[in-house]
Amino acid sequence: MLPLIGDLKEHAIFLDLDGTIAEIAEHPDHVCVRPTTLRLLEALNDMSNGALAVISGRELSAIDRLLHPLKLPAAGVHGLERRDAAGVLHESQTLETQPISFLFEKALGDESGVVIERKPGAVAVHYRLRPDLERRCCEIVKEVVGQRGDVRLIHGKMVFEILQKGSDKGSVINAFLEEPPFRGRIPIFAGDDVTDEAGFAAVNSQGGISIKVGGQDTDARFRAKDVRELESWLRALIADTHGEQHH
């Protein structure tokens, strides 16, 4: 059961993108955010007085492309890039990922269906189209990570992500919560993957509402069955806030 909340203006809303407000696709380039969802995000942004941010593993430019024409506060690459509510960019000094992606391309480039995605400070190896290669991808990725002390490995849904150490979704949510219009509000964070657990922990420690989308084990306090159920709940928040304003 998802919780009922009062006025949206008392809350700060943080949403993951893939698998949370957009359905996961076979290839990361095929994901799209439906127009009805974009209108919902716009309404949530208005009703929370701008305290809505998207927290994603994608880079900021990809987030903006998917949410066009909206340009919301956002964190990309699990927090290595962040644009605050004033539009100011905060970027970590990112490591050179070309040598890492080159190793993967050399080892896996001949395998059709394996997608190697390069981002600032991270490389993702997607094997959704080739689940039979999971073990081989895992071995190669672990070997590369084992040779370096400056990266960490995240095993998400049909993806291995090699990410520069130093940021996660929890620390980036905390950074937003120190700034207006997020400061002083009760945080809500919804996500669907292992990379979102750090965000759930941060929100739980602030007495907020953490929501896991989907069925895996989680430290989130609440659960939505799928993208549609989360969207219905977000729509209900708008309706409830509307109702309170008209009393």
Side-chain angles (χ1 to χ4, degrees):
M1 251 319 258
L2 289 167
L4 292 167
I5 69 164
D7 189 353
L8 264 180
K9 289 187 174 55
E10 292 168 11
H11 290 80
I13 309 159
F14 301 100
L15 299 169
D16 170 49
L17 211 162
D18 295 70
T20 300
I21 55 174
E23 300 286 357
I24 287 176
E26 297 263 286
H27 190 292
D29 291 349
H30 300 160
V31 167
C32 68
V33 180
R34 296 179 312 158
T36 49
T37 307
L38 288 174
R39 288 196 289 275
L40 169 63
L41 294 176
E42 192 171 17
L44 286 167
N45 188 47
D46 289 347
M47 292 201 139
S48 64
N49 285 349
L52 169 70
V54 172
I55 315 282
S56 174
R58 288 179 180 265
E59 50 191 298
L60 277 176
S61 58
I63 297 171
D64 287 344
R65 197 170 59 245
L66 281 165
L67 298 183
H68 183 79
L70 295 181
K71 196 165 184 183
L72 298 169
V77 200
H78 311 288
L80 290 177
E81 305 177 309
R82 188 170 76 89
R83 181 176 60 230
D84 66 24
V88 177
L89 277 178
H90 306 258
E91 293 177 281
S92 305
Q93 188 62 45
T94 52
L95 63 89
E96 181 50 69
T97 53
Q98 205 159 349
I100 299 175
S101 62
F102 174 72
L103 290 171
F104 293 145
E105 274 150 20
K106 207 165 75 169
L108 295 163
D110 294 340
E111 297 288 0
S112 67
V114 175
V115 180
I116 297 162
E117 181 191 7
R118 235 179 28 219
K119 305 184 264 193
V123 180
V125 179
H126 299 267
Y127 58 91
R128 183 170 296 279
L129 295 166
R130 292 293 303 275
D132 54 302
L133 289 175
E134 177 174 7
R135 178 175 285 179
R136 180 147 170 247
C137 289
C138 184
E139 285 166 0
I140 292 162
V141 166
K142 281 188 168 162
E143 191 180 329
V144 171
V145 171
Q147 293 163 3
R148 309 182 58 124
D150 55 351
V151 294
R152 60 193 177 102
L153 172 62
I154 301 170
H155 187 188
K157 288 182 179 169
M158 314 295 275
V159 60
F160 290 104
E161 193 139 15
I162 293 81
L163 184 66
Q164 171 179 328
K165 285 180 176 172
S167 195
D168 61 45
K169 290 189 179 185
S171 56
V172 87
I173 285 173
N174 286 332
F176 275 117
L177 288 169
E178 285 169 15
E179 304 164 349
F182 302 92
R183 190 191 292 138
R185 296 187 184 219
I186 302 159
I188 297 170
F189 175 52
D192 74 309
D193 210 344
V194 265
T195 55
D196 299 308
E197 291 297 325
F200 298 147
V203 165
N204 290 347
S205 73
Q206 305 251 10
I209 295 169
S210 50
I211 303 168
K212 169 79 169 185
V213 180
Q216 301 89 344
D217 283 353
T218 182
D219 289 330
R221 295 193 167 141
F222 299 94
R223 198 183 285 277
K225 186 167 84 261
D226 50 25
V227 171
R228 294 293 170 100
E229 187 178 0
L230 179 74
E231 189 162 310
S232 309
W233 181 73
L234 292 170
R235 285 188 193 288
L237 298 190
I238 292 174
D240 289 350
T241 301
H242 252 318
E244 293 208 356
Q245 286 173 354
H246 293 301
H247 273 315

